[in-house]
Amino acid sequence: MNRVKLYGADWCPDCRRAKSFLSDNNISFEFVDVDLDKAATALVESINNGKRIIPTLLIDDKSYTNPNNNIIASIFGINEVGTVQLFGADWCPDCRRAKSFLTDNNINFEFIDIESEWATKKVEEINNGKRIIPTILIDNIPFTNPDNAKLTEVLSINTEKSHKIFDTVIIGAGAAGLTTSIYAQRDRFDSLILEKSTVGGNAFLTEKIENYPGFESISGPKLMERMEAQATTYGAKIKTGEDVLSISKEDEIFTIKTNTASYLSKTVVLSTGSTYRKLGITNEKELIGSGIHYCATCDGAFYREKDIIVIGGGNSALEEGIFLAGFCKSVKIVNRSKEFSASPTYIEKLKTIKNITTYMNQTSLEFVANEKGMFENLKVVDNETKEESSLSADGVFVFIGLIPNTKVFENVVDLNERGFIKTKNLAETSIKGIFAAGDCREGAIAQVAAATGEGVLASYGIRNYLK
């Protein structure tokens, strides 16, 4: 029987996603908080070659590093029609036939080898003492050596049935996507939100938001949770772990294909947001997770009472640097310009924090690793004197801007030279019926309040198009 342990932390978006998916599908698991258990942290590092990557799942002593929902579904045999478990053996011809049929028809199934004592007893219990394989459980209903026709029937494979057509499919569950769905549902338009990772987008990864109207201060996760609750209360459906692969249009209906399924819709909203820009210097890629990070909320807790470096000079760099200074021993902020580009509020606040040191007009050259393959120091060069030096720390957080998540749309709608989606009027793209909102759109302002406004704009575009 599966013994499942999920090593993670409450502040980790992917941990929340994995926990939610396991719980929603009635998979029993033990959650181990790596912030509270040093032995758990050490185990995670040993599993991941020294890297602190969460969530890490341990299933019957086999580890899975940050598996997406599709992978978890395949491990446990989770499908929309139910959970599928196949008890059998590799030497059994009918077992091979059943496995091949399920695989060919994209049915996830958990294969359980009857070599294990508990599996043998389970098969005997189902079959009145007989060891008949394959024995397949579909949502705990047993089928003894079912042929392909029976599997077709019980799993609804290749049956003629109409696919639901949504009024709008929203790709991305950040502030823009959630707001679009709230307004669409209020207009009585049936909406589906597809999210690759977790609900909330980049705002969910922000420790504190102090410029959202109505709140002097609120955490990013709390604000996004309220938006999600409002969207689902109005009737929006949200599917996480859905990575969109393509969008096509035929007879005024869009087909959105993901890594797990296909969806039909009358309109589409692209609100995929953006991801953190990388420096592109030596050892950056190799040391990601081994001392190099891009999200303070996600990984900052690993560096309590330790020394860190923050690279960048904009609002994000200073905001996150100030946040990290609250529990790190020291913070060195490295900025390639002579002055910060952040707002005066952050610059003034920075001056009041004693454990922050700034290194201005310094360009980062190389991340240096120690003999264990972990980050050790950062090589920088003074832009004026051309003198090179090294800054030592336990870890580095990079905040140098964002890149739009639009690559999959480059042959669907018009993008500008930087990859942002071109729009006009009510968030309309170059394709009628497709709209764009949020950080992925050309001219967008990377602020939560602005993203919600763009969601409203997109919803009005949907309304005009559908009517």
Side-chain angles (χ1 to χ4, degrees):
M1 185 173 293
N2 289 317
R3 297 181 301 279
V4 183
K5 284 189 176 182
L6 192 158
Y7 293 88
D10 290 332
W11 44 261
C12 165
D14 272 315
C15 298
R16 292 164 60 93
R17 168 190 55 79
K19 287 169 67 177
S20 176
F21 188 77
L22 291 171
S23 297
D24 290 346
N25 288 282
N26 300 313
I27 304 296
S28 297
F29 66 95
E30 177 185 354
F31 177 69
V32 183
D33 195 321
V34 296
D35 277 349
L36 306 177
D37 190 334
K38 291 183 178 180
T41 301
L43 177 61
V44 167
E45 290 178 343
S46 68
I47 289 172
N48 298 299
N49 299 316
K51 295 184 178 181
R52 302 166 184 169
I53 305 176
I54 53 174
T56 290
L57 265 68
L58 203 59
I59 304 171
D60 286 340
D61 299 323
K62 186 174 182 180
S63 63
Y64 300 85
T65 300
N66 192 12
N68 60 32
N69 288 0
N70 197 34
I71 291 174
I72 298 174
S74 66
I75 294 168
F76 292 102
I78 299 168
N79 305 274
E80 286 192 357
V81 294
T83 300
V84 179
Q85 293 178 305
L86 192 158
F87 291 81
D90 290 332
W91 46 260
C92 164
D94 270 317
C95 297
R96 292 200 297 269
R97 183 258 313 158
K99 289 169 68 176
S100 177
F101 182 79
L102 294 172
T103 300
D104 290 345
N105 286 282
N106 300 312
I107 299 295
N108 293 321
F109 64 94
E110 179 184 6
F111 178 69
I112 302 170
D113 198 313
I114 62 163
E115 291 298 321
S116 65
E117 184 178 350
W118 81 268
T120 300
K121 288 183 178 179
K122 183 71 174 179
V123 168
E124 291 176 343
E125 177 187 328
I126 291 171
N127 297 296
N128 300 316
K130 296 180 180 180
R131 299 178 183 176
I132 305 175
I133 54 174
T135 291
I136 300 178
L137 292 181
I138 301 174
D139 256 6
N140 288 320
I141 299 173
F143 297 88
T144 300
N145 194 13
D147 59 21
N148 289 359
K150 186 64 176 178
L151 290 173
T152 297
E153 175 189 347
V154 297
L155 292 170
S156 301
I157 295 172
N158 295 328
T159 57
E160 291 295 329
K161 58 181 180 181
S162 61
H163 291 276
K164 177 180 177 63
I165 300 177
F166 290 90
D167 290 315
T168 187
V169 166
I170 300 162
I171 305 172
L178 291 170
T179 303
T180 303
S181 70
I182 290 170
Y183 274 74
Q185 290 293 150
R186 284 175 61 86
D187 283 337
R188 300 189 183 281
F189 294 136
D190 197 9
S191 64
L192 169 67
I193 302 176
L194 302 177
E195 170 56 48
K196 180 179 180 179
S197 181
T198 192
V199 175
N202 286 338
F204 187 89
L205 305 177
T206 303
E207 171 64 19
K208 186 182 292 185
I209 295 174
E210 297 180 324
N211 55 3
Y212 190 82
F215 298 94
E216 290 185 8
S217 178
I218 186 171
S219 74
K222 180 62 69 176
L223 181 59
M224 291 301 101
E225 285 169 0
R226 291 187 180 187
M227 286 191 189
E228 178 186 6
Q230 188 172 4
T232 54
T233 296
Y234 285 138
K237 298 173 183 62
I238 302 175
K239 287 180 175 287
T240 58
E242 294 281 347
D243 190 3
V244 172
L245 305 177
S246 67
I247 300 173
S248 58
K249 186 180 184 182
E250 184 176 352
D251 296 331
E252 301 305 312
I253 297 297
F254 293 96
T255 298
I256 301 96
K257 291 186 178 180
T258 74
N259 57 324
T260 65
S262 292
Y263 303 93
L264 302 179
S265 182
K266 299 173 186 176
T267 63
V268 178
V269 178
L270 310 178
S271 57
T272 47
S274 54
T275 53
Y276 299 104
R277 186 179 298 277
K278 296 176 175 57
L279 287 163
I281 63 176
T282 303
N283 285 332
E284 181 173 20
K285 183 177 179 180
E286 292 78 5
L287 292 176
I288 292 175
S290 296
I292 308 301
H293 309 275
Y294 302 87
C295 173
T297 306
C298 304
D299 303 313
F302 286 123
Y303 295 93
R304 295 184 187 278
E305 298 302 323
K306 293 186 177 181
D307 302 308
I308 63 161
I309 295 170
V310 169
I311 299 176
N315 284 341
S316 294
L318 269 61
E319 179 183 4
E320 302 296 356
I322 291 167
F323 161 65
L324 289 164
F327 54 86
C328 292
K329 183 179 179 182
S330 71
V331 177
K332 301 180 179 77
I333 298 181
V334 178
N335 183 26
R336 67 178 181 178
S337 301
K338 292 182 179 180
E339 297 180 355
F340 289 119
S341 59
S343 66
T345 301
Y346 288 121
I347 296 173
E348 290 302 314
K349 193 170 185 178
L350 196 69
K351 297 175 183 178
T352 67
I353 302 174
K354 296 181 179 180
N355 62 334
I356 292 181
T357 307
T358 58
Y359 295 79
M360 308 300 288
N361 206 23
Q362 305 280 318
T363 296
S364 301
L365 298 177
E366 177 185 354
F367 293 119
V368 179
N370 61 21
E371 65 279 359
K372 295 181 179 179
M374 301 291 290
F375 169 79
E376 187 172 65
N377 63 68
L378 170 69
K379 283 188 177 180
V380 298
V381 60
D382 187 292
N383 296 329
E384 189 171 330
T385 66
K386 305 304 178 185
E387 181 180 349
E388 294 187 9
S389 59
S390 295
L391 300 175
S392 298
D394 297 296
V396 177
F397 289 82
V398 181
F399 304 107
I400 56 169
L402 301 168
I403 299 174
N405 298 323
T406 58
K407 187 170 180 59
V408 72
F409 310 132
E410 59 186 6
N411 295 318
V412 179
V413 296
D414 290 345
L415 310 179
N416 69 10
E417 66 280 357
R418 296 175 57 202
F420 290 90
I421 301 169
K422 294 182 177 180
T423 59
K424 61 181 179 180
N425 302 325
L426 294 176
E428 302 157 26
T429 70
S430 56
I431 299 297
K432 290 183 178 180
I434 299 183
F435 305 86
D439 294 356
C440 63
R441 188 189 66 82
E442 181 180 47
I445 300 171
Q447 295 291 320
V448 181
T452 59
E454 296 203 7
V456 176
L457 196 68
S459 75
Y460 273 70
I462 293 168
R463 179 196 293 179
N464 282 4
Y465 180 84
L466 293 179
K467 288 185 177 180

